[in-house]
């Protein structure tokens, strides 16, 4: 039950609350199942997810499609997983009672995933999945495979043949952290004496204490070596005979059967919803990052435009008017990135709120345009380019602050959040490297001015 609780604790709060008030009866399982199915389908059909982001998440979307098909067919998947040659394919054959998966004494027999229908459940079908050995692939590919199998399989049979190697231990930890339902299967039990076997099982239990309940560690002999028996022949001489041995997977079959009948469909539904919510979060993160990138580029463009206007335009009053127009355009444009259409009046109101905060925090700051304009007329004696770029850089800086404030407001869904606009302005100013920004602005403006006057 610990695994079950872990799976549950990894779920969103609303689901946990829902699960807490429901028993895991068939009707509830059906409900979980249908809810997960709906979530997945709505993610697949969500056209508001930008196409670039959909392309980046193509693998995940393919996984979703596969999980959806699996849910539609009422399948519960059990995957064998582990190092090369530990007997993964043999184990699945033993559970099936037929040779559906290829096995070999040579390492690396199974190269890709394979599947076979196992048994019918009360309300679905259990399917067995075979996978290649995890140490056949390089580290990155192994990780991906572990993830791939663990995302799709509802129960994972982690197969080993002795104490866990470093790779096996790490892989098991990863699966446990992902909240997967794992049964650790110690295969080739026929190679050990009874005492050795119980010591080994105890050792495995100790090493996986934080991840697995004790009843999920099971010894099996998927394909035992024939028994060697000594017989005295009619002539009195001893001769060696071999007697084939039957696979021994009884205990594992019973545990699996119980797990699948009792929780199979719920596990499949939870598994799917776990994946859907994880993907949902990933998509959301990607959308946030894509919008931020776009907004930053846009703000930069307006900073440059306004910086140039102020630096180049010889009429101070026109500077001001043009600059105000730029701010409104920037705010409206930023709004569109975040999916909001702004009226001019709304944009002006937002600009007034923003400038009020900046004035409050920076004294006469919002008089910047005036200051820079005044500077321009009064500083006739100085090198024009130098003075002009200094003024332009200040205008750039002001535009940048306004842009960042507006972006934050849009990103929070047209809200300043609990802290209010003052706090937002304060934190933007506190995290900003002003001198660096001014330096950058001056360099870029100077380059532009020199290029256009050359
Ligand atoms: N002694 C003993 N040998 C076994 C047992 N199960 C499997 N084997 C042997 O282990 C070898 C590998 O078995 P496979 O089932 O092909 O192993 P696998 O994990 O699927 O291997 P790959 O597909 O190569 O990763 C074969 O020679 C099997 O006969 C067992 O219970 N006892
Ligand atoms: Mg195999």
């Amino acid at each position: 039950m610990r695994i079950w609780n872990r799976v549950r604790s990894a779920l969103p709060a609303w689901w946990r609350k829902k699960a807490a008030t429901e028993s895991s009866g068939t009707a509830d399982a059906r409900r979980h199942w249908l809810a997960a199915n709906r979530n997945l389908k709505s993610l697949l059909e969500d056209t508001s997810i930008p196409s670039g982001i959909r392309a980046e998440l193509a693998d995940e979307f393919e996984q979703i499609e596969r999980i959806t098909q699996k849910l539609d067919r009422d399948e519960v998947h059990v995957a064998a997983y582990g190092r090369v040659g530990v007997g993964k394919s043999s184990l699945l054959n033993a559970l099936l009672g037929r040779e559906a998966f290829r096995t070999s004494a040579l390492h690396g027999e199974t190269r890709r995933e394979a599947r076979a229908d196992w048994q019918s459940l009360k309300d679905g079908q259990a399917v067995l999945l075979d996978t290649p050995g995890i140490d056949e692939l390089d580290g990155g590919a192994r990780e991906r495979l572990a993830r791939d199998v663990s995302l799709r399989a509802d129960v994972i049979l982690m197969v080993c043949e002795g104490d866990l190697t470093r790779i096996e231990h790490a892989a098991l930890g990863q699966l446990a952290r992902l909240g997967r339902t794992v049964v650790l299967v110690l295969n080739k039990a026929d190679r050990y004496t009874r005492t050795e076997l119980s010591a080994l099982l105890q050792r495995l239990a100790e090493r996986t204490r934080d991840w697995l309940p004790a009843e999920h560690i099971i010894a099996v002999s998927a394909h035992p070596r024939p028994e060697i028996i000594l017989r005295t022949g009619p002539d009195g001489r001893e001769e060696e005979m071999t007697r084939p041995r039957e696979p021994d997977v009884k205990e594992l079959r019973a545990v699996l059967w119980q797990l699948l009948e009792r929780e199979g469909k719920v596990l499949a539904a939870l598994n799917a919803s776990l994946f859907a919510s994880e993907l949902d979060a990933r998509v959301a993160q990607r959308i946030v990052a894509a919008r931020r990138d776009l907004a930053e580029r846009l703000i930069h463009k307006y900073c440059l435009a306004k910086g140039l206007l102020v630096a180049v335009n010889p009429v101070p009053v026109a500077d001001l008017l043009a600059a105000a127009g730029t701010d409104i355009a920037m705010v409206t444009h930023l709004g569109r990135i975040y999916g909001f259409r702004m009226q001019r009046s709304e944009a002006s109101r937002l600009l007034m709120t923003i400038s009020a905060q900046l004035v409050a925090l920076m004294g006469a700051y919002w008089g910047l345009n005036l200051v820079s304009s005044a500077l321009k007329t009064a500083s006739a004696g100085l090198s024009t380019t130098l003075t002009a770029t200094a003024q332009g850089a200040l205008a750039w800086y002001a535009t940048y602050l306004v842009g960042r404030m507006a972006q934050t407001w849009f990103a929070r869904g047209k809200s300043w959040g609990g802290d209010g606009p003052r706090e937002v302005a304060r934190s933007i100013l506190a995290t900003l490297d002003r001198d660096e920004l001014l330096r950058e602005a001056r360099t870029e403006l100077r380059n532009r001015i020199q290029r256009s006057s050359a």
Side-chain angles (χ1 to χ4, degrees), residues 300 303-307 368 391-401 437 440-442 444-445:
H300 183 268
C303 285
L304 180 63
K306 189 157 144 191
L368 174 73
Q391 293 160 15
L394 280 171
W396 177 310
Y397 178 55
T399 312
Y400 182 80
L401 291 177
L437 189 84
E440 213 181 287
R442 267 200 307 270
E444 196 160 339
L445 288 172

mmCIF file with all atom_site columns, all heavy atoms in Angstrom, residues 300 303-307 368 391-401 437 440-442 444-445:
data_model
loop_
_atom_site.group_PDB
_atom_site.id
_atom_site.type_symbol
_atom_site.label_atom_id
_atom_site.label_alt_id
_atom_site.label_comp_id
_atom_site.label_asym_id
_atom_site.label_entity_id
_atom_site.label_seq_id
_atom_site.pdbx_PDB_ins_code
_atom_site.Cartn_x
_atom_site.Cartn_y
_atom_site.Cartn_z
_atom_site.occupancy
_atom_site.B_iso_or_equiv
_atom_site.pdbx_formal_charge
_atom_site.auth_seq_id
_atom_site.auth_comp_id
_atom_site.auth_asym_id
_atom_site.auth_atom_id
_atom_site.pdbx_PDB_model_num
ATOM 1   N N   . HIS A 1 300 ? 12.979 45.095 -25.992 1.00 0.00 ? 300 HIS A N   1
ATOM 2   C CA  . HIS A 1 300 ? 14.266 45.558 -26.516 1.00 0.00 ? 300 HIS A CA  1
ATOM 3   C C   . HIS A 1 300 ? 14.063 46.414 -27.772 1.00 0.00 ? 300 HIS A C   1
ATOM 4   O O   . HIS A 1 300 ? 14.669 47.475 -27.929 1.00 0.00 ? 300 HIS A O   1
ATOM 5   C CB  . HIS A 1 300 ? 15.167 44.356 -26.814 1.00 0.00 ? 300 HIS A CB  1
ATOM 6   C CG  . HIS A 1 300 ? 16.534 44.745 -27.300 1.00 0.00 ? 300 HIS A CG  1
ATOM 7   N ND1 . HIS A 1 300 ? 16.817 44.878 -28.630 1.00 0.00 ? 300 HIS A ND1 1
ATOM 8   C CD2 . HIS A 1 300 ? 17.675 45.045 -26.635 1.00 0.00 ? 300 HIS A CD2 1
ATOM 9   C CE1 . HIS A 1 300 ? 18.085 45.241 -28.768 1.00 0.00 ? 300 HIS A CE1 1
ATOM 10  N NE2 . HIS A 1 300 ? 18.631 45.346 -27.565 1.00 0.00 ? 300 HIS A NE2 1
ATOM 11  N N   . CYS A 1 303 ? 12.756 49.742 -26.739 1.00 0.00 ? 303 CYS A N   1
ATOM 12  C CA  . CYS A 1 303 ? 13.804 50.516 -26.056 1.00 0.00 ? 303 CYS A CA  1
ATOM 13  C C   . CYS A 1 303 ? 14.692 51.176 -27.100 1.00 0.00 ? 303 CYS A C   1
ATOM 14  O O   . CYS A 1 303 ? 15.029 52.366 -26.997 1.00 0.00 ? 303 CYS A O   1
ATOM 15  C CB  . CYS A 1 303 ? 14.666 49.606 -25.191 1.00 0.00 ? 303 CYS A CB  1
ATOM 16  S SG  . CYS A 1 303 ? 13.864 49.071 -23.687 1.00 0.00 ? 303 CYS A SG  1
ATOM 17  N N   . LEU A 1 304 ? 15.061 50.404 -28.093 1.00 0.00 ? 304 LEU A N   1
ATOM 18  C CA  . LEU A 1 304 ? 15.931 50.900 -29.142 1.00 0.00 ? 304 LEU A CA  1
ATOM 19  C C   . LEU A 1 304 ? 15.227 52.021 -29.920 1.00 0.00 ? 304 LEU A C   1
ATOM 20  O O   . LEU A 1 304 ? 15.805 53.091 -30.153 1.00 0.00 ? 304 LEU A O   1
ATOM 21  C CB  . LEU A 1 304 ? 16.305 49.748 -30.088 1.00 0.00 ? 304 LEU A CB  1
ATOM 22  C CG  . LEU A 1 304 ? 17.212 50.097 -31.256 1.00 0.00 ? 304 LEU A CG  1
ATOM 23  C CD1 . LEU A 1 304 ? 18.571 50.572 -30.744 1.00 0.00 ? 304 LEU A CD1 1
ATOM 24  C CD2 . LEU A 1 304 ? 17.413 48.895 -32.180 1.00 0.00 ? 304 LEU A CD2 1
ATOM 25  N N   . ALA A 1 305 ? 13.962 51.774 -30.270 1.00 0.00 ? 305 ALA A N   1
ATOM 26  C CA  . ALA A 1 305 ? 13.219 52.763 -31.049 1.00 0.00 ? 305 ALA A CA  1
ATOM 27  C C   . ALA A 1 305 ? 13.123 54.078 -30.284 1.00 0.00 ? 305 ALA A C   1
ATOM 28  O O   . ALA A 1 305 ? 13.381 55.152 -30.811 1.00 0.00 ? 305 ALA A O   1
ATOM 29  C CB  . ALA A 1 305 ? 11.822 52.225 -31.368 1.00 0.00 ? 305 ALA A CB  1
ATOM 30  N N   . LYS A 1 306 ? 12.772 53.966 -28.995 1.00 0.00 ? 306 LYS A N   1
ATOM 31  C CA  . LYS A 1 306 ? 12.580 55.189 -28.233 1.00 0.00 ? 306 LYS A CA  1
ATOM 32  C C   . LYS A 1 306 ? 13.918 55.867 -27.934 1.00 0.00 ? 306 LYS A C   1
ATOM 33  O O   . LYS A 1 306 ? 14.041 57.097 -27.981 1.00 0.00 ? 306 LYS A O   1
ATOM 34  C CB  . LYS A 1 306 ? 11.847 54.887 -26.927 1.00 0.00 ? 306 LYS A CB  1
ATOM 35  C CG  . LYS A 1 306 ? 11.438 56.127 -26.191 1.00 0.00 ? 306 LYS A CG  1
ATOM 36  C CD  . LYS A 1 306 ? 10.293 55.827 -25.278 1.00 0.00 ? 306 LYS A CD  1
ATOM 37  C CE  . LYS A 1 306 ? 10.410 56.630 -24.009 1.00 0.00 ? 306 LYS A CE  1
ATOM 38  N NZ  . LYS A 1 306 ? 9.456  56.174 -23.016 1.00 0.00 ? 306 LYS A NZ  1
ATOM 39  N N   . GLY A 1 307 ? 14.936 55.048 -27.663 1.00 0.00 ? 307 GLY A N   1
ATOM 40  C CA  . GLY A 1 307 ? 16.277 55.581 -27.425 1.00 0.00 ? 307 GLY A CA  1
ATOM 41  C C   . GLY A 1 307 ? 16.754 56.377 -28.627 1.00 0.00 ? 307 GLY A C   1
ATOM 42  O O   . GLY A 1 307 ? 17.285 57.491 -28.491 1.00 0.00 ? 307 GLY A O   1
ATOM 43  N N   . LEU A 1 368 ? 12.060 62.203 -16.541 1.00 0.00 ? 368 LEU A N   1
ATOM 44  C CA  . LEU A 1 368 ? 13.215 61.843 -17.342 1.00 0.00 ? 368 LEU A CA  1
ATOM 45  C C   . LEU A 1 368 ? 13.216 62.430 -18.753 1.00 0.00 ? 368 LEU A C   1
ATOM 46  O O   . LEU A 1 368 ? 14.201 62.994 -19.192 1.00 0.00 ? 368 LEU A O   1
ATOM 47  C CB  . LEU A 1 368 ? 13.291 60.313 -17.446 1.00 0.00 ? 368 LEU A CB  1
ATOM 48  C CG  . LEU A 1 368 ? 14.371 59.796 -18.386 1.00 0.00 ? 368 LEU A CG  1
ATOM 49  C CD1 . LEU A 1 368 ? 15.747 59.980 -17.793 1.00 0.00 ? 368 LEU A CD1 1
ATOM 50  C CD2 . LEU A 1 368 ? 14.110 58.345 -18.707 1.00 0.00 ? 368 LEU A CD2 1
ATOM 51  N N   . GLN A 1 391 ? 21.342 60.668 -23.433 1.00 0.00 ? 391 GLN A N   1
ATOM 52  C CA  . GLN A 1 391 ? 19.897 60.912 -23.276 1.00 0.00 ? 391 GLN A CA  1
ATOM 53  C C   . GLN A 1 391 ? 19.093 59.724 -23.772 1.00 0.00 ? 391 GLN A C   1
ATOM 54  O O   . GLN A 1 391 ? 18.130 59.279 -23.152 1.00 0.00 ? 391 GLN A O   1
ATOM 55  C CB  . GLN A 1 391 ? 19.487 62.158 -24.078 1.00 0.00 ? 391 GLN A CB  1
ATOM 56  C CG  . GLN A 1 391 ? 20.071 63.434 -23.540 1.00 0.00 ? 391 GLN A CG  1
ATOM 57  C CD  . GLN A 1 391 ? 20.048 64.519 -24.604 1.00 0.00 ? 391 GLN A CD  1
ATOM 58  O OE1 . GLN A 1 391 ? 19.368 64.398 -25.622 1.00 0.00 ? 391 GLN A OE1 1
ATOM 59  N NE2 . GLN A 1 391 ? 20.793 65.579 -24.376 1.00 0.00 ? 391 GLN A NE2 1
ATOM 60  N N   . GLY A 1 392 ? 19.514 59.233 -24.927 1.00 0.00 ? 392 GLY A N   1
ATOM 61  C CA  . GLY A 1 392 ? 18.824 58.075 -25.509 1.00 0.00 ? 392 GLY A CA  1
ATOM 62  C C   . GLY A 1 392 ? 18.874 56.878 -24.564 1.00 0.00 ? 392 GLY A C   1
ATOM 63  O O   . GLY A 1 392 ? 17.888 56.161 -24.405 1.00 0.00 ? 392 GLY A O   1
ATOM 64  N N   . ALA A 1 393 ? 20.037 56.706 -23.935 1.00 0.00 ? 393 ALA A N   1
ATOM 65  C CA  . ALA A 1 393 ? 20.187 55.561 -23.031 1.00 0.00 ? 393 ALA A CA  1
ATOM 66  C C   . ALA A 1 393 ? 19.243 55.683 -21.845 1.00 0.00 ? 393 ALA A C   1
ATOM 67  O O   . ALA A 1 393 ? 18.674 54.698 -21.371 1.00 0.00 ? 393 ALA A O   1
ATOM 68  C CB  . ALA A 1 393 ? 21.630 55.466 -22.565 1.00 0.00 ? 393 ALA A CB  1
ATOM 69  N N   . LEU A 1 394 ? 19.064 56.919 -21.353 1.00 0.00 ? 394 LEU A N   1
ATOM 70  C CA  . LEU A 1 394 ? 18.131 57.130 -20.229 1.00 0.00 ? 394 LEU A CA  1
ATOM 71  C C   . LEU A 1 394 ? 16.700 56.807 -20.660 1.00 0.00 ? 394 LEU A C   1
ATOM 72  O O   . LEU A 1 394 ? 15.939 56.185 -19.925 1.00 0.00 ? 394 LEU A O   1
ATOM 73  C CB  . LEU A 1 394 ? 18.232 58.567 -19.728 1.00 0.00 ? 394 LEU A CB  1
ATOM 74  C CG  . LEU A 1 394 ? 19.415 58.823 -18.805 1.00 0.00 ? 394 LEU A CG  1
ATOM 75  C CD1 . LEU A 1 394 ? 19.555 60.333 -18.538 1.00 0.00 ? 394 LEU A CD1 1
ATOM 76  C CD2 . LEU A 1 394 ? 19.279 58.073 -17.493 1.00 0.00 ? 394 LEU A CD2 1
ATOM 77  N N   . ALA A 1 395 ? 16.359 57.221 -21.869 1.00 0.00 ? 395 ALA A N   1
ATOM 78  C CA  . ALA A 1 395 ? 15.016 56.927 -22.391 1.00 0.00 ? 395 ALA A CA  1
ATOM 79  C C   . ALA A 1 395 ? 14.836 55.412 -22.554 1.00 0.00 ? 395 ALA A C   1
ATOM 80  O O   . ALA A 1 395 ? 13.782 54.852 -22.268 1.00 0.00 ? 395 ALA A O   1
ATOM 81  C CB  . ALA A 1 395 ? 14.814 57.630 -23.720 1.00 0.00 ? 395 ALA A CB  1
ATOM 82  N N   . TRP A 1 396 ? 15.879 54.777 -23.000 1.00 0.00 ? 396 TRP A N   1
ATOM 83  C CA  . TRP A 1 396 ? 15.902 53.306 -23.147 1.00 0.00 ? 396 TRP A CA  1
ATOM 84  C C   . TRP A 1 396 ? 15.590 52.661 -21.793 1.00 0.00 ? 396 TRP A C   1
ATOM 85  O O   . TRP A 1 396 ? 14.749 51.787 -21.676 1.00 0.00 ? 396 TRP A O   1
ATOM 86  C CB  . TRP A 1 396 ? 17.286 52.912 -23.655 1.00 0.00 ? 396 TRP A CB  1
ATOM 87  C CG  . TRP A 1 396 ? 17.562 51.447 -23.813 1.00 0.00 ? 396 TRP A CG  1
ATOM 88  C CD1 . TRP A 1 396 ? 17.351 50.459 -22.889 1.00 0.00 ? 396 TRP A CD1 1
ATOM 89  C CD2 . TRP A 1 396 ? 18.093 50.791 -24.970 1.00 0.00 ? 396 TRP A CD2 1
ATOM 90  N NE1 . TRP A 1 396 ? 17.730 49.251 -23.383 1.00 0.00 ? 396 TRP A NE1 1
ATOM 91  C CE2 . TRP A 1 396 ? 18.190 49.419 -24.668 1.00 0.00 ? 396 TRP A CE2 1
ATOM 92  C CE3 . TRP A 1 396 ? 18.523 51.234 -26.220 1.00 0.00 ? 396 TRP A CE3 1
ATOM 93  C CZ2 . TRP A 1 396 ? 18.696 48.477 -25.570 1.00 0.00 ? 396 TRP A CZ2 1
ATOM 94  C CZ3 . TRP A 1 396 ? 19.021 50.300 -27.118 1.00 0.00 ? 396 TRP A CZ3 1
ATOM 95  C CH2 . TRP A 1 396 ? 19.108 48.937 -26.801 1.00 0.00 ? 396 TRP A CH2 1
ATOM 96  N N   . TYR A 1 397 ? 16.312 53.147 -20.795 1.00 0.00 ? 397 TYR A N   1
ATOM 97  C CA  . TYR A 1 397 ? 16.167 52.605 -19.445 1.00 0.00 ? 397 TYR A CA  1
ATOM 98  C C   . TYR A 1 397 ? 14.725 52.755 -18.949 1.00 0.00 ? 397 TYR A C   1
ATOM 99  O O   . TYR A 1 397 ? 14.120 51.807 -18.425 1.00 0.00 ? 397 TYR A O   1
ATOM 100 C CB  . TYR A 1 397 ? 17.145 53.333 -18.521 1.00 0.00 ? 397 TYR A CB  1
ATOM 101 C CG  . TYR A 1 397 ? 17.082 52.929 -17.076 1.00 0.00 ? 397 TYR A CG  1
ATOM 102 C CD1 . TYR A 1 397 ? 17.223 51.595 -16.698 1.00 0.00 ? 397 TYR A CD1 1
ATOM 103 C CD2 . TYR A 1 397 ? 16.912 53.887 -16.074 1.00 0.00 ? 397 TYR A CD2 1
ATOM 104 C CE1 . TYR A 1 397 ? 17.180 51.226 -15.369 1.00 0.00 ? 397 TYR A CE1 1
ATOM 105 C CE2 . TYR A 1 397 ? 16.869 53.515 -14.736 1.00 0.00 ? 397 TYR A CE2 1
ATOM 106 C CZ  . TYR A 1 397 ? 17.004 52.184 -14.383 1.00 0.00 ? 397 TYR A CZ  1
ATOM 107 O OH  . TYR A 1 397 ? 16.955 51.830 -13.081 1.00 0.00 ? 397 TYR A OH  1
ATOM 108 N N   . ALA A 1 398 ? 14.162 53.935 -19.173 1.00 0.00 ? 398 ALA A N   1
ATOM 109 C CA  . ALA A 1 398 ? 12.783 54.184 -18.735 1.00 0.00 ? 398 ALA A CA  1
ATOM 110 C C   . ALA A 1 398 ? 11.815 53.250 -19.464 1.00 0.00 ? 398 ALA A C   1
ATOM 111 O O   . ALA A 1 398 ? 10.923 52.656 -18.855 1.00 0.00 ? 398 ALA A O   1
ATOM 112 C CB  . ALA A 1 398 ? 12.415 55.637 -19.018 1.00 0.00 ? 398 ALA A CB  1
ATOM 113 N N   . THR A 1 399 ? 12.020 53.107 -20.767 1.00 0.00 ? 399 THR A N   1
ATOM 114 C CA  . THR A 1 399 ? 11.150 52.227 -21.554 1.00 0.00 ? 399 THR A CA  1
ATOM 115 C C   . THR A 1 399 ? 11.249 50.798 -21.053 1.00 0.00 ? 399 THR A C   1
ATOM 116 O O   . THR A 1 399 ? 10.256 50.080 -20.957 1.00 0.00 ? 399 THR A O   1
ATOM 117 C CB  . THR A 1 399 ? 11.561 52.270 -23.041 1.00 0.00 ? 399 THR A CB  1
ATOM 118 O OG1 . THR A 1 399 ? 11.709 53.623 -23.418 1.00 0.00 ? 399 THR A OG1 1
ATOM 119 C CG2 . THR A 1 399 ? 10.544 51.584 -23.916 1.00 0.00 ? 399 THR A CG2 1
ATOM 120 N N   . TYR A 1 400 ? 12.476 50.426 -20.727 1.00 0.00 ? 400 TYR A N   1
ATOM 121 C CA  . TYR A 1 400 ? 12.698 49.069 -20.247 1.00 0.00 ? 400 TYR A CA  1
ATOM 122 C C   . TYR A 1 400 ? 11.892 48.810 -18.964 1.00 0.00 ? 400 TYR A C   1
ATOM 123 O O   . TYR A 1 400 ? 11.206 47.805 -18.822 1.00 0.00 ? 400 TYR A O   1
ATOM 124 C CB  . TYR A 1 400 ? 14.196 48.840 -20.001 1.00 0.00 ? 400 TYR A CB  1
ATOM 125 C CG  . TYR A 1 400 ? 14.503 47.444 -19.550 1.00 0.00 ? 400 TYR A CG  1
ATOM 126 C CD1 . TYR A 1 400 ? 14.589 46.402 -20.474 1.00 0.00 ? 400 TYR A CD1 1
ATOM 127 C CD2 . TYR A 1 400 ? 14.665 47.147 -18.199 1.00 0.00 ? 400 TYR A CD2 1
ATOM 128 C CE1 . TYR A 1 400 ? 14.825 45.098 -20.063 1.00 0.00 ? 400 TYR A CE1 1
ATOM 129 C CE2 . TYR A 1 400 ? 14.916 45.846 -17.780 1.00 0.00 ? 400 TYR A CE2 1
ATOM 130 C CZ  . TYR A 1 400 ? 14.991 44.827 -18.713 1.00 0.00 ? 400 TYR A CZ  1
ATOM 131 O OH  . TYR A 1 400 ? 15.221 43.544 -18.302 1.00 0.00 ? 400 TYR A OH  1
ATOM 132 N N   . LEU A 1 401 ? 11.960 49.770 -18.046 1.00 0.00 ? 401 LEU A N   1
ATOM 133 C CA  . LEU A 1 401 ? 11.223 49.608 -16.780 1.00 0.00 ? 401 LEU A CA  1
ATOM 134 C C   . LEU A 1 401 ? 9.719  49.520 -17.020 1.00 0.00 ? 401 LEU A C   1
ATOM 135 O O   . LEU A 1 401 ? 9.029  48.665 -16.451 1.00 0.00 ? 401 LEU A O   1
ATOM 136 C CB  . LEU A 1 401 ? 11.527 50.777 -15.839 1.00 0.00 ? 401 LEU A CB  1
ATOM 137 C CG  . LEU A 1 401 ? 12.944 50.831 -15.278 1.00 0.00 ? 401 LEU A CG  1
ATOM 138 C CD1 . LEU A 1 401 ? 13.116 52.085 -14.426 1.00 0.00 ? 401 LEU A CD1 1
ATOM 139 C CD2 . LEU A 1 401 ? 13.261 49.591 -14.455 1.00 0.00 ? 401 LEU A CD2 1
ATOM 140 N N   . LEU A 1 437 ? 22.796 47.965 -18.007 1.00 0.00 ? 437 LEU A N   1
ATOM 141 C CA  . LEU A 1 437 ? 21.758 48.238 -19.005 1.00 0.00 ? 437 LEU A CA  1
ATOM 142 C C   . LEU A 1 437 ? 22.052 49.559 -19.740 1.00 0.00 ? 437 LEU A C   1
ATOM 143 O O   . LEU A 1 437 ? 21.943 49.645 -20.956 1.00 0.00 ? 437 LEU A O   1
ATOM 144 C CB  . LEU A 1 437 ? 20.384 48.317 -18.325 1.00 0.00 ? 437 LEU A CB  1
ATOM 145 C CG  . LEU A 1 437 ? 19.207 48.374 -19.280 1.00 0.00 ? 437 LEU A CG  1
ATOM 146 C CD1 . LEU A 1 437 ? 18.825 46.967 -19.713 1.00 0.00 ? 437 LEU A CD1 1
ATOM 147 C CD2 . LEU A 1 437 ? 18.003 49.048 -18.632 1.00 0.00 ? 437 LEU A CD2 1
ATOM 148 N N   . GLU A 1 440 ? 24.988 49.081 -22.132 1.00 0.00 ? 440 GLU A N   1
ATOM 149 C CA  . GLU A 1 440 ? 24.533 48.336 -23.304 1.00 0.00 ? 440 GLU A CA  1
ATOM 150 C C   . GLU A 1 440 ? 23.756 49.269 -24.243 1.00 0.00 ? 440 GLU A C   1
ATOM 151 O O   . GLU A 1 440 ? 23.980 49.283 -25.455 1.00 0.00 ? 440 GLU A O   1
ATOM 152 C CB  . GLU A 1 440 ? 23.579 47.244 -22.821 1.00 0.00 ? 440 GLU A CB  1
ATOM 153 C CG  . GLU A 1 440 ? 23.583 45.957 -23.605 1.00 0.00 ? 440 GLU A CG  1
ATOM 154 C CD  . GLU A 1 440 ? 22.563 45.017 -22.987 1.00 0.00 ? 440 GLU A CD  1
ATOM 155 O OE1 . GLU A 1 440 ? 22.821 44.470 -21.881 1.00 0.00 ? 440 GLU A OE1 1
ATOM 156 O OE2 . GLU A 1 440 ? 21.485 44.880 -23.569 1.00 0.00 ? 440 GLU A OE2 1
ATOM 157 N N   . ALA A 1 441 ? 22.867 50.063 -23.657 1.00 0.00 ? 441 ALA A N   1
ATOM 158 C CA  . ALA A 1 441 ? 22.029 50.971 -24.441 1.00 0.00 ? 441 ALA A CA  1
ATOM 159 C C   . ALA A 1 441 ? 22.892 51.990 -25.168 1.00 0.00 ? 441 ALA A C   1
ATOM 160 O O   . ALA A 1 441 ? 22.710 52.242 -26.357 1.00 0.00 ? 441 ALA A O   1
ATOM 161 C CB  . ALA A 1 441 ? 21.039 51.674 -23.516 1.00 0.00 ? 441 ALA A CB  1
ATOM 162 N N   . ARG A 1 442 ? 23.862 52.556 -24.432 1.00 0.00 ? 442 ARG A N   1
ATOM 163 C CA  . ARG A 1 442 ? 24.728 53.581 -25.049 1.00 0.00 ? 442 ARG A CA  1
ATOM 164 C C   . ARG A 1 442 ? 25.483 52.993 -26.232 1.00 0.00 ? 442 ARG A C   1
ATOM 165 O O   . ARG A 1 442 ? 25.534 53.594 -27.305 1.00 0.00 ? 442 ARG A O   1
ATOM 166 C CB  . ARG A 1 442 ? 25.718 54.123 -24.011 1.00 0.00 ? 442 ARG A CB  1
ATOM 167 C CG  . ARG A 1 442 ? 25.198 55.378 -23.310 1.00 0.00 ? 442 ARG A CG  1
ATOM 168 C CD  . ARG A 1 442 ? 26.322 56.166 -22.666 1.00 0.00 ? 442 ARG A CD  1
ATOM 169 N NE  . ARG A 1 442 ? 27.137 55.359 -21.778 1.00 0.00 ? 442 ARG A NE  1
ATOM 170 C CZ  . ARG A 1 442 ? 26.873 55.207 -20.461 1.00 0.00 ? 442 ARG A CZ  1
ATOM 171 N NH1 . ARG A 1 442 ? 25.825 55.801 -19.919 1.00 0.00 ? 442 ARG A NH1 1
ATOM 172 N NH2 . ARG A 1 442 ? 27.642 54.468 -19.712 1.00 0.00 ? 442 ARG A NH2 1
ATOM 173 N N   . GLU A 1 444 ? 24.784 50.378 -28.105 1.00 0.00 ? 444 GLU A N   1
ATOM 174 C CA  . GLU A 1 444 ? 23.948 50.057 -29.254 1.00 0.00 ? 444 GLU A CA  1
ATOM 175 C C   . GLU A 1 444 ? 23.474 51.323 -29.970 1.00 0.00 ? 444 GLU A C   1
ATOM 176 O O   . GLU A 1 444 ? 23.479 51.412 -31.197 1.00 0.00 ? 444 GLU A O   1
ATOM 177 C CB  . GLU A 1 444 ? 22.750 49.205 -28.814 1.00 0.00 ? 444 GLU A CB  1
ATOM 178 C CG  . GLU A 1 444 ? 22.096 48.547 -30.014 1.00 0.00 ? 444 GLU A CG  1
ATOM 179 C CD  . GLU A 1 444 ? 21.244 47.346 -29.676 1.00 0.00 ? 444 GLU A CD  1
ATOM 180 O OE1 . GLU A 1 444 ? 21.427 46.749 -28.594 1.00 0.00 ? 444 GLU A OE1 1
ATOM 181 O OE2 . GLU A 1 444 ? 20.374 47.010 -30.503 1.00 0.00 ? 444 GLU A OE2 1
ATOM 182 N N   . LEU A 1 445 ? 23.114 52.350 -29.183 1.00 0.00 ? 445 LEU A N   1
ATOM 183 C CA  . LEU A 1 445 ? 22.651 53.604 -29.787 1.00 0.00 ? 445 LEU A CA  1
ATOM 184 C C   . LEU A 1 445 ? 23.775 54.268 -30.576 1.00 0.00 ? 445 LEU A C   1
ATOM 185 O O   . LEU A 1 445 ? 23.577 54.738 -31.696 1.00 0.00 ? 445 LEU A O   1
ATOM 186 C CB  . LEU A 1 445 ? 22.129 54.549 -28.700 1.00 0.00 ? 445 LEU A CB  1
ATOM 187 C CG  . LEU A 1 445 ? 20.788 54.159 -28.067 1.00 0.00 ? 445 LEU A CG  1
ATOM 188 C CD1 . LEU A 1 445 ? 20.473 55.038 -26.875 1.00 0.00 ? 445 LEU A CD1 1
ATOM 189 C CD2 . LEU A 1 445 ? 19.665 54.240 -29.102 1.00 0.00 ? 445 LEU A CD2 1
#
